[in-house]
PDB file of all heavy atoms in Angstrom:
ATOM      1  N   SER A  62     -18.104  20.229  13.160  1.00 95.00           N
ATOM      2  CA  SER A  62     -19.296  20.952  13.604  1.00 95.00           C
ATOM      3  C   SER A  62     -19.673  20.543  15.016  1.00 95.00           C
ATOM      4  O   SER A  62     -20.088  21.372  15.838  1.00 95.00           O
ATOM      5  CB  SER A  62     -20.466  20.679  12.642  1.00 95.00           C
ATOM      6  OG  SER A  62     -20.163  21.136  11.342  1.00 95.00           O
ATOM      7  N   LYS A  63     -19.534  19.245  15.304  1.00 94.00           N
ATOM      8  CA  LYS A  63     -19.808  18.762  16.649  1.00 94.00           C
ATOM      9  C   LYS A  63     -18.828  19.373  17.644  1.00 94.00           C
ATOM     10  O   LYS A  63     -19.227  19.788  18.743  1.00 94.00           O
ATOM     11  CB  LYS A  63     -19.709  17.235  16.675  1.00 94.00           C
ATOM     12  CG  LYS A  63     -20.001  16.588  17.996  1.00 94.00           C
ATOM     13  CD  LYS A  63     -21.462  16.708  18.369  1.00 94.00           C
ATOM     14  CE  LYS A  63     -22.348  15.955  17.397  1.00 94.00           C
ATOM     15  NZ  LYS A  63     -23.756  15.952  17.832  1.00 94.00           N
ATOM     16  N   ALA A  64     -17.546  19.437  17.284  1.00 96.00           N
ATOM     17  CA  ALA A  64     -16.544  20.027  18.174  1.00 96.00           C
ATOM     18  C   ALA A  64     -16.882  21.482  18.492  1.00 96.00           C
ATOM     19  O   ALA A  64     -16.852  21.893  19.660  1.00 96.00           O
ATOM     20  CB  ALA A  64     -15.158  19.927  17.536  1.00 96.00           C
ATOM     21  N   LEU A  65     -17.211  22.248  17.468  1.00 96.00           N
ATOM     22  CA  LEU A  65     -17.535  23.660  17.680  1.00 96.00           C
ATOM     23  C   LEU A  65     -18.770  23.817  18.549  1.00 96.00           C
ATOM     24  O   LEU A  65     -18.817  24.688  19.425  1.00 96.00           O
ATOM     25  CB  LEU A  65     -17.740  24.349  16.329  1.00 96.00           C
ATOM     26  CG  LEU A  65     -16.498  24.434  15.426  1.00 96.00           C
ATOM     27  CD1 LEU A  65     -16.884  24.961  14.057  1.00 96.00           C
ATOM     28  CD2 LEU A  65     -15.415  25.311  16.057  1.00 96.00           C
ATOM     29  N   ALA A  66     -19.773  22.982  18.320  1.00 95.00           N
ATOM     30  CA  ALA A  66     -21.005  23.063  19.101  1.00 95.00           C
ATOM     31  C   ALA A  66     -20.756  22.776  20.571  1.00 95.00           C
ATOM     32  O   ALA A  66     -21.476  23.284  21.444  1.00 95.00           O
ATOM     33  CB  ALA A  66     -22.043  22.095  18.537  1.00 95.00           C
ATOM     34  N   LEU A  67     -19.723  21.973  20.857  1.00 96.00           N
ATOM     35  CA  LEU A  67     -19.388  21.630  22.240  1.00 96.00           C
ATOM     36  C   LEU A  67     -18.296  22.525  22.811  1.00 96.00           C
ATOM     37  O   LEU A  67     -17.780  22.264  23.898  1.00 96.00           O
ATOM     38  CB  LEU A  67     -18.965  20.161  22.316  1.00 96.00           C
ATOM     39  CG  LEU A  67     -20.071  19.145  21.985  1.00 96.00           C
ATOM     40  CD1 LEU A  67     -19.500  17.726  21.954  1.00 96.00           C
ATOM     41  CD2 LEU A  67     -21.211  19.232  22.986  1.00 96.00           C
ATOM     42  N   GLY A  68     -17.924  23.565  22.063  1.00 96.00           N
ATOM     43  CA  GLY A  68     -16.992  24.557  22.579  1.00 96.00           C
ATOM     44  C   GLY A  68     -15.524  24.254  22.374  1.00 96.00           C
ATOM     45  O   GLY A  68     -14.682  24.806  23.081  1.00 96.00           O
ATOM     46  N   HIS A  69     -15.201  23.408  21.389  1.00 97.00           N
ATOM     47  CA  HIS A  69     -13.810  23.041  21.137  1.00 97.00           C
ATOM     48  C   HIS A  69     -13.433  23.366  19.694  1.00 97.00           C
ATOM     49  O   HIS A  69     -14.192  23.061  18.770  1.00 97.00           O
ATOM     50  CB  HIS A  69     -13.588  21.549  21.387  1.00 97.00           C
ATOM     51  CG  HIS A  69     -13.858  21.119  22.791  1.00 97.00           C
ATOM     52  ND1 HIS A  69     -12.922  21.240  23.801  1.00 97.00           N
ATOM     53  CD2 HIS A  69     -14.963  20.581  23.366  1.00 97.00           C
ATOM     54  CE1 HIS A  69     -13.432  20.788  24.927  1.00 97.00           C
ATOM     55  NE2 HIS A  69     -14.668  20.372  24.699  1.00 97.00           N
ATOM     56  N   MET A  70     -12.249  23.947  19.533  1.00 97.00           N
ATOM     57  CA  MET A  70     -11.717  24.192  18.193  1.00 97.00           C
ATOM     58  C   MET A  70     -10.762  23.057  17.833  1.00 97.00           C
ATOM     59  O   MET A  70      -9.774  22.835  18.523  1.00 97.00           O
ATOM     60  CB  MET A  70     -10.968  25.526  18.139  1.00 97.00           C
ATOM     61  CG  MET A  70     -10.305  25.816  16.781  1.00 97.00           C
ATOM     62  SD  MET A  70     -11.463  25.909  15.385  1.00 97.00           S
ATOM     63  CE  MET A  70     -12.357  27.421  15.811  1.00 97.00           C
ATOM     64  N   PRO A  71     -11.053  22.301  16.775  1.00 97.00           N
ATOM     65  CA  PRO A  71     -10.153  21.195  16.419  1.00 97.00           C
ATOM     66  C   PRO A  71      -8.793  21.687  15.947  1.00 97.00           C
ATOM     67  O   PRO A  71      -8.688  22.736  15.314  1.00 97.00           O
ATOM     68  CB  PRO A  71     -10.913  20.475  15.303  1.00 97.00           C
ATOM     69  CG  PRO A  71     -11.876  21.471  14.762  1.00 97.00           C
ATOM     70  CD  PRO A  71     -12.218  22.389  15.888  1.00 97.00           C
ATOM     71  N   ASP A  72      -7.754  20.914  16.280  1.00 97.00           N
ATOM     72  CA  ASP A  72      -6.417  21.237  15.795  1.00 97.00           C
ATOM     73  C   ASP A  72      -6.345  21.072  14.279  1.00 97.00           C
ATOM     74  O   ASP A  72      -5.613  21.801  13.612  1.00 97.00           O
ATOM     75  CB  ASP A  72      -5.380  20.338  16.466  1.00 97.00           C
ATOM     76  CG  ASP A  72      -5.252  20.639  17.952  1.00 97.00           C
ATOM     77  OD1 ASP A  72      -4.565  21.615  18.287  1.00 97.00           O
ATOM     78  OD2 ASP A  72      -5.843  19.912  18.768  1.00 97.00           O
ATOM     79  N   CYS A  73      -7.076  20.097  13.755  1.00 97.00           N
ATOM     80  CA  CYS A  73      -7.188  19.965  12.308  1.00 97.00           C
ATOM     81  C   CYS A  73      -8.463  19.191  11.979  1.00 97.00           C
ATOM     82  O   CYS A  73      -9.003  18.469  12.810  1.00 97.00           O
ATOM     83  CB  CYS A  73      -5.953  19.317  11.683  1.00 97.00           C
ATOM     84  SG  CYS A  73      -5.581  17.661  12.246  1.00 97.00           S
ATOM     85  N   VAL A  74      -8.929  19.396  10.742  1.00 97.00           N
ATOM     86  CA  VAL A  74     -10.123  18.736  10.230  1.00 97.00           C
ATOM     87  C   VAL A  74      -9.718  18.000   8.962  1.00 97.00           C
ATOM     88  O   VAL A  74      -9.129  18.594   8.054  1.00 97.00           O
ATOM     89  CB  VAL A  74     -11.245  19.742   9.925  1.00 97.00           C
ATOM     90  CG1 VAL A  74     -12.513  19.008   9.475  1.00 97.00           C
ATOM     91  CG2 VAL A  74     -11.523  20.634  11.125  1.00 97.00           C
ATOM     92  N   ILE A  75     -10.038  16.716   8.895  1.00 96.00           N
ATOM     93  CA  ILE A  75      -9.635  15.882   7.770  1.00 96.00           C
ATOM     94  C   ILE A  75     -10.867  15.196   7.203  1.00 96.00           C
ATOM     95  O   ILE A  75     -11.666  14.616   7.950  1.00 96.00           O
ATOM     96  CB  ILE A  75      -8.610  14.816   8.211  1.00 96.00           C
ATOM     97  CG1 ILE A  75      -7.371  15.474   8.825  1.00 96.00           C
ATOM     98  CG2 ILE A  75      -8.218  13.915   7.038  1.00 96.00           C
ATOM     99  CD1 ILE A  75      -6.404  14.497   9.474  1.00 96.00           C
ATOM    100  N   GLY A  76     -11.045  15.269   5.891  1.00 94.00           N
ATOM    101  CA  GLY A  76     -12.175  14.578   5.280  1.00 94.00           C
ATOM    102  C   GLY A  76     -12.471  15.102   3.895  1.00 94.00           C
ATOM    103  O   GLY A  76     -11.763  15.970   3.368  1.00 94.00           O
ATOM    104  N   ASP A  77     -13.537  14.557   3.295  1.00 92.00           N
ATOM    105  CA  ASP A  77     -13.929  15.039   1.974  1.00 92.00           C
ATOM    106  C   ASP A  77     -14.850  16.253   2.059  1.00 92.00           C
ATOM    107  O   ASP A  77     -15.210  16.842   1.035  1.00 92.00           O
ATOM    108  CB  ASP A  77     -14.580  13.927   1.145  1.00 92.00           C
ATOM    109  CG  ASP A  77     -15.798  13.318   1.812  1.00 92.00           C
ATOM    110  OD1 ASP A  77     -16.399  13.968   2.692  1.00 92.00           O
ATOM    111  OD2 ASP A  77     -16.163  12.184   1.452  1.00 92.00           O
ATOM    112  N   PHE A  78     -15.240  16.619   3.281  1.00 93.00           N
ATOM    113  CA  PHE A  78     -16.017  17.826   3.600  1.00 93.00           C
ATOM    114  C   PHE A  78     -17.428  17.797   3.026  1.00 93.00           C
ATOM    115  O   PHE A  78     -18.049  18.852   2.857  1.00 93.00           O
ATOM    116  CB  PHE A  78     -15.280  19.088   3.137  1.00 93.00           C
ATOM    117  CG  PHE A  78     -14.001  19.362   3.902  1.00 93.00           C
ATOM    118  CD1 PHE A  78     -13.173  20.416   3.550  1.00 93.00           C
ATOM    119  CD2 PHE A  78     -13.617  18.569   4.975  1.00 93.00           C
ATOM    120  CE1 PHE A  78     -11.997  20.666   4.248  1.00 93.00           C
ATOM    121  CE2 PHE A  78     -12.446  18.806   5.677  1.00 93.00           C
ATOM    122  CZ  PHE A  78     -11.628  19.860   5.313  1.00 93.00           C
ATOM    123  N   ASP A  79     -17.964  16.612   2.766  1.00 89.00           N
ATOM    124  CA  ASP A  79     -19.340  16.555   2.287  1.00 89.00           C
ATOM    125  C   ASP A  79     -20.355  16.733   3.407  1.00 89.00           C
ATOM    126  O   ASP A  79     -21.539  16.949   3.153  1.00 89.00           O
ATOM    127  CB  ASP A  79     -19.606  15.248   1.528  1.00 89.00           C
ATOM    128  CG  ASP A  79     -19.462  14.001   2.403  1.00 89.00           C
ATOM    129  OD1 ASP A  79     -18.973  14.134   3.552  1.00 89.00           O
ATOM    130  OD2 ASP A  79     -19.828  12.911   1.940  1.00 89.00           O
ATOM    131  N   SER A  80     -19.889  16.656   4.661  1.00 85.00           N
ATOM    132  CA  SER A  80     -20.796  16.868   5.788  1.00 85.00           C
ATOM    133  C   SER A  80     -20.354  18.010   6.693  1.00 85.00           C
ATOM    134  O   SER A  80     -20.864  18.156   7.806  1.00 85.00           O
ATOM    135  CB  SER A  80     -20.932  15.573   6.609  1.00 85.00           C
ATOM    136  OG  SER A  80     -19.675  15.111   7.056  1.00 85.00           O
ATOM    137  N   LEU A  81     -19.412  18.799   6.221  1.00 89.00           N
ATOM    138  CA  LEU A  81     -18.955  19.974   6.968  1.00 89.00           C
ATOM    139  C   LEU A  81     -19.677  21.203   6.425  1.00 89.00           C
ATOM    140  O   LEU A  81     -19.437  21.627   5.295  1.00 89.00           O
ATOM    141  CB  LEU A  81     -17.443  20.146   6.852  1.00 89.00           C
ATOM    142  CG  LEU A  81     -16.837  21.362   7.556  1.00 89.00           C
ATOM    143  CD1 LEU A  81     -17.090  21.306   9.056  1.00 89.00           C
ATOM    144  CD2 LEU A  81     -15.329  21.438   7.271  1.00 89.00           C
ATOM    145  N   GLY A  82     -20.583  21.753   7.214  1.00 88.00           N
ATOM    146  CA  GLY A  82     -21.371  22.893   6.776  1.00 88.00           C
ATOM    147  C   GLY A  82     -20.538  24.148   6.564  1.00 88.00           C
ATOM    148  O   GLY A  82     -19.477  24.323   7.171  1.00 88.00           O
ATOM    149  N   ALA A  83     -21.050  25.033   5.714  1.00 91.00           N
ATOM    150  CA  ALA A  83     -20.326  26.263   5.382  1.00 91.00           C
ATOM    151  C   ALA A  83     -20.110  27.140   6.605  1.00 91.00           C
ATOM    152  O   ALA A  83     -19.054  27.772   6.751  1.00 91.00           O
ATOM    153  CB  ALA A  83     -21.088  27.025   4.308  1.00 91.00           C
ATOM    154  N   GLU A  84     -21.090  27.203   7.498  1.00 92.00           N
ATOM    155  CA  GLU A  84     -20.957  28.043   8.689  1.00 92.00           C
ATOM    156  C   GLU A  84     -19.822  27.549   9.578  1.00 92.00           C
ATOM    157  O   GLU A  84     -19.007  28.345  10.062  1.00 92.00           O
ATOM    158  CB  GLU A  84     -22.275  28.059   9.464  1.00 92.00           C
ATOM    159  CG  GLU A  84     -22.235  28.945  10.703  1.00 92.00           C
ATOM    160  CD  GLU A  84     -23.564  28.965  11.446  1.00 92.00           C
ATOM    161  OE1 GLU A  84     -24.589  28.529  10.886  1.00 92.00           O
ATOM    162  OE2 GLU A  84     -23.568  29.429  12.605  1.00 92.00           O
ATOM    163  N   SER A  85     -19.777  26.240   9.795  1.00 93.00           N
ATOM    164  CA  SER A  85     -18.694  25.685  10.614  1.00 93.00           C
ATOM    165  C   SER A  85     -17.349  25.863   9.928  1.00 93.00           C
ATOM    166  O   SER A  85     -16.351  26.228  10.563  1.00 93.00           O
ATOM    167  CB  SER A  85     -18.945  24.195  10.872  1.00 93.00           C
ATOM    168  OG  SER A  85     -20.105  24.000  11.648  1.00 93.00           O
ATOM    169  N   ARG A  86     -17.318  25.614   8.642  1.00 92.00           N
ATOM    170  CA  ARG A  86     -16.059  25.733   7.899  1.00 92.00           C
ATOM    171  C   ARG A  86     -15.509  27.151   7.976  1.00 92.00           C
ATOM    172  O   ARG A  86     -14.289  27.347   8.094  1.00 92.00           O
ATOM    173  CB  ARG A  86     -16.276  25.319   6.443  1.00 92.00           C
ATOM    174  CG  ARG A  86     -15.003  25.246   5.629  1.00 92.00           C
ATOM    175  CD  ARG A  86     -15.251  24.553   4.309  1.00 92.00           C
ATOM    176  NE  ARG A  86     -14.041  24.451   3.512  1.00 92.00           N
ATOM    177  CZ  ARG A  86     -13.939  23.746   2.397  1.00 92.00           C
ATOM    178  NH1 ARG A  86     -14.991  23.069   1.943  1.00 92.00           N
ATOM    179  NH2 ARG A  86     -12.800  23.696   1.732  1.00 92.00           N
ATOM    180  N   ALA A  87     -16.396  28.160   7.956  1.00 94.00           N
ATOM    181  CA  ALA A  87     -15.960  29.551   7.995  1.00 94.00           C
ATOM    182  C   ALA A  87     -15.348  29.917   9.346  1.00 94.00           C
ATOM    183  O   ALA A  87     -14.560  30.870   9.434  1.00 94.00           O
ATOM    184  CB  ALA A  87     -17.135  30.472   7.693  1.00 94.00           C
ATOM    185  N   ARG A  88     -15.665  29.165  10.388  1.00 96.00           N
ATOM    186  CA  ARG A  88     -15.142  29.467  11.723  1.00 96.00           C
ATOM    187  C   ARG A  88     -13.767  28.850  11.974  1.00 96.00           C
ATOM    188  O   ARG A  88     -13.138  29.143  12.992  1.00 96.00           O
ATOM    189  CB  ARG A  88     -16.122  28.961  12.784  1.00 96.00           C
ATOM    190  CG  ARG A  88     -17.450  29.687  12.809  1.00 96.00           C
ATOM    191  CD  ARG A  88     -18.427  29.033  13.786  1.00 96.00           C
ATOM    192  NE  ARG A  88     -17.885  29.000  15.152  1.00 96.00           N
ATOM    193  CZ  ARG A  88     -18.474  28.335  16.157  1.00 96.00           C
ATOM    194  NH1 ARG A  88     -19.568  27.632  15.928  1.00 96.00           N
ATOM    195  NH2 ARG A  88     -17.938  28.366  17.366  1.00 96.00           N
TER     196      ARG A  88
END
Side-chain angles (χ1 to χ4, degrees):
S62 298
K63 181 69 64 174
L65 295 172
L67 295 174
H69 298 277
M70 176 61 68
D72 292 280
C73 61
V74 184
I75 302 171
D77 58 21
F78 293 176
D79 63 350
S80 57
L81 178 61
E84 182 179 346
S85 295
R86 187 168 181 171
R88 293 174 58 188

